[in-house]
Amino acid sequence: MERTPDGTPVGVDDPYEFAGRCDHLTGDGRCRFALDRAGDAPEFAASRRRADYACVAADEDADWRDCPHYRSTTDAKECARCGLEEVRIAHDDRRPLVEEHHLSYGEGTGDAGGAREPEAGDTDRSTSHEITVGLCRWCHTKVHRSFARVDDDASPDPEAVAERESRRSDELGELGFSAASERYGDDG
C-alpha cells in the first residue's frame, strides 16, 4: 500500500486507479498549465505550443501518467469511501465533514520520494503527481490509522451521520421565513 511522507498508509495500492481528469485540462482539450504557467516549465510549454496546446493525454497512446504536470484534486463534496455528502453553511467555522486526502504527493507538496523537476516529453512513470480524493474525516482517520482502504465497502460512521443531519437542520432553519415583527417583537 502507498504511504504518506510520514509513513502512514493512504489506503490504495495505485493512486492512478482513483485519479480523474487533470485539473489543468480545459473544456476544449488544451493544457491550461502550458497556457497559464509557461514560465514555470518553458520546455514543456514550448512542446505544448507546438502541439497547439493539446493535452499530453489527448493522444490515443498516452495516459495521464505521461504528463509531468498532471494533477487530479478533489472537490471534496462527497466521501469516496462511505459516500457521506458534505454540508457547508456560509459563515460557519465548523470543521468540514469531507476533507482532501492525498493518494500521491506532487512536486512541492511534501513528496518523500524526492520528486525531480519534470522535463519536456518526460514519460517516466515514477514522476510524482498530486492526486487527491475526498474522505469524510471519520474515514480519513480510519485510512491513516489502520488498514482501511479507500475502496472498502463502507457505510458512514453514526457520528458522521449525526453531524451531517445537525448541519442539514441548521441549513433548513436558515431557509425559513419569519417576519421582522416575529423576530424582534412588535415594538421593533
Side-chain angles (χ1 to χ4, degrees):
M1 187 179 308
E2 291 284 312
R3 297 200 170 272
T4 68
D6 296 332
T8 62
V10 298
V12 301
D13 293 324
D14 182 6
Y16 292 96
E17 289 180 17
F18 297 86
R21 134 190 181 132
C22 180
D23 293 351
H24 303 300
L25 183 63
T26 65
D28 61 355
R30 298 186 313 159
C31 177
R32 187 176 298 112
F33 184 91
L35 287 164
D36 295 344
R37 297 180 51 195
D40 293 343
E43 296 86 13
F44 176 79
S47 73
R48 294 298 86 218
R49 185 173 42 254
R50 286 190 298 276
D52 197 28
Y53 293 101
C55 171
V56 169
D59 184 1
E60 288 179 14
D61 299 327
D63 186 273
W64 293 120
R65 300 176 199 229
D66 296 332
C67 179
H69 298 287
Y70 171 73
R71 179 176 186 249
S72 176
T73 56
T74 182
D75 61 7
K77 291 183 179 179
E78 180 178 280
C79 179
R81 186 168 182 267
C82 73
L84 183 80
E85 294 177 4
E86 177 63 82
V87 177
R88 298 295 303 260
I89 300 173
H91 311 294
D92 187 345
D93 292 336
R94 288 184 280 189
R95 183 176 171 190
L97 297 176
V98 180
E99 304 170 329
E100 183 177 51
H101 172 66
H102 279 86
L103 301 178
S104 176
Y105 294 79
E107 182 75 26
T109 59
D111 177 28
R116 60 182 171 69
E117 178 61 29
E119 298 172 12
D122 187 357
T123 58
D124 180 2
R125 300 233 182 222
S126 67
T127 300
S128 183
H129 296 114
E130 183 177 13
I131 301 172
T132 67
V133 296
L135 288 180
C136 71
R137 58 186 198 232
W138 295 268
C139 285
H140 203 176
T141 298
K142 289 173 187 171
V143 166
H144 281 301
R145 294 192 178 160
S146 71
F147 292 103
R149 300 179 60 83
V150 171
D151 58 357
D152 285 345
D153 186 19
S155 297
D157 191 278
E159 186 180 331
V161 173
E163 180 63 26
R164 180 192 64 203
E165 294 309 312
S166 168
R167 291 179 186 201
R168 283 191 176 156
S169 176
D170 292 348
E171 183 179 47
L172 289 174
E174 292 291 321
L175 295 175
F177 175 79
S178 60
S181 62
E182 293 172 7
R183 286 182 277 154
Y184 302 110
D186 290 331
D187 55 348

